[in-house]
Amino acid sequence: EAGVVDIGDGTAVVLHDLDRQRGRFDELVAAFPSGALHAVAVKANPLVEVLRPLVAAGAGCETASMEEIHIALAAGCPADRIVFDSPAKRVHELADALDAGVIVNVDNADELERIVALGRDTTSLIGIRVNPAVGDGRIGVTSVGGRSSRFGVPADEAFELFVEFADRLPTLRGLHVHVGSQGCSLDQLVAGARAAQDLRDRIEARLGVGRIAQIDI
């Protein structure tokens, strides 16, 4: 019978509909202003040949490890469209990411200090991950937008941190906010984006318009 494959016992087959994948990506692009970078999570599909057509269509790649960065590069993704978001980056990982020129979102002040200590002359845009404190989602283990989240820097602290490191890191020009994976209401997601926008306005009131080049939601 057409469409039936005998794979035997104990074997799994995963099929990817690349036309549907491209269609969903096109819907995403149409929903946002032109020029927005849509970075797909490599951890969701760490397969070069699945990522390659998305990259060719203009997608970036969101990564959480150096291994995922290598997968993104193998899929043809330009370094300036790769986002490195791991919440626990080791010194050699930061060095390799900065040398590659990928976007680096730091999770805390320690990571900023490590970048300064490395002394790299880099083109990498660096962002600070902000905890927007918009409340927990319905799935506790994937919710990271509450006040007690272990990830990111509270907005008030992020403002002071950005100002402190602004002169020491010229490419510190981004803000990153992540409310959670699944189980989050649209209102929470919008509130998280608004918190990042408000923080951008505060930073630019202090450091000048145009200091923030990217808000990553």
Side-chain angles (χ1 to χ4, degrees):
E1 182 179 345
V4 175
V5 180
D6 182 6
I7 59 175
D9 295 332
T11 302
V13 173
V14 178
L15 303 178
H16 292 270
D17 185 335
L18 298 183
D19 289 335
R20 184 177 183 188
Q21 173 180 273
R22 174 60 189 270
R24 294 298 299 274
F25 179 71
D26 289 345
E27 290 174 8
L28 180 65
V29 170
F32 280 78
S34 62
L37 172 65
H38 301 286
V40 298
V42 173
K43 66 184 176 185
N45 268 310
L47 302 172
V48 169
E49 295 306 321
V50 172
L51 294 170
R52 197 186 300 277
L54 286 170
V55 169
C61 290
E62 188 272 337
T63 64
S65 68
M66 284 307 303
E67 291 78 7
E68 290 183 5
I69 289 175
H70 292 313
I71 291 172
L73 291 170
C77 192
D80 62 0
R81 280 162 42 193
I82 298 175
V83 185
F84 186 27
D85 278 340
S86 166
K89 306 175 195 69
R90 292 174 289 180
V91 173
H92 73 86
E93 291 175 323
L94 285 169
D96 289 347
L98 295 172
D99 288 344
V102 306
I103 299 166
V104 178
N105 287 324
V106 301
D107 191 71
N108 49 60
D110 288 343
E111 289 187 354
L112 285 171
E113 291 286 6
R114 291 170 194 158
I115 291 174
V116 170
L118 284 168
R120 289 296 202 271
D121 182 15
T122 181
T123 60
S124 288
L125 187 149
I126 299 168
I128 293 178
R129 178 170 176 171
V130 181
N131 178 6
V134 295
D136 294 324
R138 296 189 305 276
I139 305 173
V141 295
T142 62
S143 181
V144 291
R147 293 188 179 277
S148 61
S149 173
R150 62 193 180 279
F151 300 125
V153 183
D156 287 341
E157 294 179 27
F159 173 78
E160 299 298 336
L161 197 61
F162 199 105
V163 171
E164 176 186 349
F165 280 86
D167 290 336
R168 300 163 70 186
L169 288 173
T171 62
L172 178 60
R173 301 194 63 201
L175 297 172
H176 169 49
V177 60
H178 179 50
V179 176
S181 300
Q182 312 299 326
C184 297
S185 69
L186 183 58
D187 287 344
Q188 285 175 304
L189 299 176
V190 171
R194 184 174 292 117
Q197 176 80 6
D198 291 345
L199 180 56
R200 184 201 74 167
D201 292 344
R202 289 181 62 194
I203 290 170
E204 293 196 338
R206 172 73 69 88
L207 300 177
V209 174
R211 176 67 199 219
I212 301 299
Q214 178 172 287
I215 294 180
D216 180 352
I217 59 171

